[in-house]
Every structure is written in structure tokens, then in C-alpha cells.
Amino acid sequence: MLRLAVLTVSLLAGAAQAEDLEALKIDTRRNALPVLPKVVGMMQETVAAKGPVEAIPVCKEKAPQLLKEQAAKTGWDMRRVSLRTRNPERGTPDVWEARQLADFNIRAANGEKVETLETGEIVTDNGKQVYRYIRAIPVGEVCLTCHGPADKVDGSLRSQLAKSYPHDTAFGYERGQIRGALTVKRPL
Ligand code: HEC
């Protein structure tokens, strides 16, 4: 009897935790995800109006700045990471992020839609509980201008990128692949 009671209590605790996780995920999405379509829109407009070289600052400055603003508003860490970075100083994933990105690649290969790939988890970070969330960033048409196969990228654009990014591994993507991810760490 006692054992049954213990089991019931732990099942209920499990259910409560699942509910908390779902609430955290919904709240994190609401605060972090709107940045993604904003960057895509800005990128499309700038490439069309000013050309790709002038659009470099959208990925280089605007996207990180929008994330920084959201991070300041919420008090959470937010950044973009990738398994193949253009800027390794900013975009190199930590172990948790690298594991999730590898898992996203497997899930995509198994037919899951890239634009909805996400994971949220409570983990211990430096002895403190934090909520970590990561969401795949798909390669859209406009992204190919600068992240497509290197031999298809405009020559002057390529030399411009080479000046700032000597360790660039962010060419060679195809439409619909996973370019990287938006990642969030929030204190609990
Ligand atoms: C005009 C050129 C250009 C276009 C178009 C472009 N990017 Fe980028 N992208 C860059 C540059 C430059 C960086 C390096 C930014 C930095 O210094 O942090 C970058 C970096 C990134 C990163 C951070 C990880 C890394 O590789 O360093 C992600 C994620 C990313 N781009 C996604 C996209 C997506 C998604 C699109 C399409 C919506 C896109 N980019 C279109 C130039 C571009």
C-alpha cells in the first residue's frame, strides 16, 4: 500500500514536471522565436535593395543585436550556434548544444520538419538549475547567397567574407538543411 502511494506521488510529480516543462517551452518560444523571421525578412529586403555585400551586416550585426536586446529584456542568454560556423568565436556550440544539433540532423534525416525541430530541458549548470531551449534555423532561399556552395557564391562577396572570416566553414549548405540553431539558457 505504502509502495503504491509512493508510486502515485512520484507519478504525479512527474506529470507536474512535464507540465512545467511545457509551460517553460511555450514561454521561451514566445520570447525568443520572433527574432528569427525578423532576421529573414531584413535579409531578404537588404539583399534585394542593396545587394549581398551590403547585407553582410544583417547576419553579422543585426541578428546578434536583436538577440542581445531580447536577452536584456528577459534576462536570459540567447545566441546562434552552428556545427559549421562562419564565425567560430561567436557561434561554436557548447557540449549540450552540439549534442542537440547532432540529434536535429538525425531527426531531420528521419523526416521531421526542420523548421519545427526544438528541444527544451532542465539541466544543472555550474551547480544551478537552468532551462535550456534550442531551435533549428533552416536554410531558406536567401541564405544561399552567402551560405550556399562556395563556387556559386559571387566572387567579390566571397573575398569580402574571406577578409573577416579566415576559418569560415559556413558555405556548402542546401535549401532546407539545418544552418544552425537559436539557443536559450534561462535561470530558474
Ligand atoms: C549577405 C550574406 C549573408 C546572408 C545572405 C546570410 N548570412 Fe548568415 N552569416 C553571414 C555572416 C557574415 C555571418 C557571420 C556573423 C558573425 O560574425 O557572427 C553569418 C552567420 C550566420 C549564423 C551564425 C553561425 C555562424 O555560422 O557563424 C547563422 C545561424 C546564420 N548566419 C544563418 C543564416 C540564415 C538562416 C540565413 C538566411 C535567412 C543567412 N544566414 C543569410 C552572412 C550571411
Side-chain angles (χ1 to χ4, degrees):
M1 193 60 212
L2 181 63
R3 219 191 265 168
L4 189 64
V6 170
L7 181 68
T8 311
V9 167
S10 68
L11 279 178
L12 284 174
Q17 208 201 13
E19 239 171 65
D20 288 352
L21 271 176
E22 193 53 28
L24 275 167
K25 188 189 269 183
I26 290 167
D27 186 58
T28 306
R29 273 190 201 133
R30 193 162 38 106
N31 282 287
L33 295 190
V35 169
L36 294 179
K38 252 189 225 170
V39 173
V40 177
M42 218 181 267
M43 191 55 101
Q44 284 165 339
E45 276 168 31
T46 314
V47 168
K50 299 186 179 165
V53 172
E54 296 291 319
I56 290 175
V58 176
C59 242
K60 188 175 185 171
E61 278 130 35
K62 269 286 161 191
Q65 187 194 321
L66 286 172
L67 286 174
K68 226 183 185 175
E69 282 168 16
Q70 259 329 86
K73 246 189 234 169
T74 52
W76 313 337
D77 277 355
M78 282 186 205
R79 61 192 196 110
R80 297 181 306 169
V81 291
S82 175
L83 291 176
R84 276 169 42 207
T85 51
R86 174 148 291 160
N87 184 346
E89 273 171 42
R90 258 190 196 154
T92 301
D94 66 17
V95 175
W96 185 86
E97 289 158 343
R99 190 154 45 83
Q100 306 306 331
L101 280 163
D103 188 50
F104 284 173
N105 280 334
I106 296 169
R107 285 163 63 184
N110 285 328
E112 272 190 65
K113 272 196 179 161
V114 167
E115 52 276 20
T116 54
L117 286 170
E118 62 176 357
T119 298
E121 222 171 67
I122 293 174
V123 301
T124 307
D125 186 55
N126 284 329
K128 287 204 181 104
Q129 293 235 298
V130 296
Y131 177 70
R132 300 204 69 171
Y133 173 84
I134 183 163
R135 174 95 174 193
I137 301 176
V139 177
E141 191 64 38
V142 72
C143 317
L144 297 175
T145 319
C146 295
H147 296 296
D151 57 355
K152 296 214 177 101
V153 172
D154 173 77
S156 61
L157 174 61
R158 229 169 52 205
S159 60
Q160 196 64 32
L161 288 170
K163 275 190 215 156
S164 308
Y165 305 105
H167 308 292
D168 195 345
T169 54
F171 287 116
Y173 285 93
E174 285 166 29
R175 202 182 164 158
Q177 283 185 325
I178 300 168
R179 174 63 192 87
L182 171 64
T183 165
V184 178
K185 202 197 276 187
R186 53 186 285 189
L188 291 175

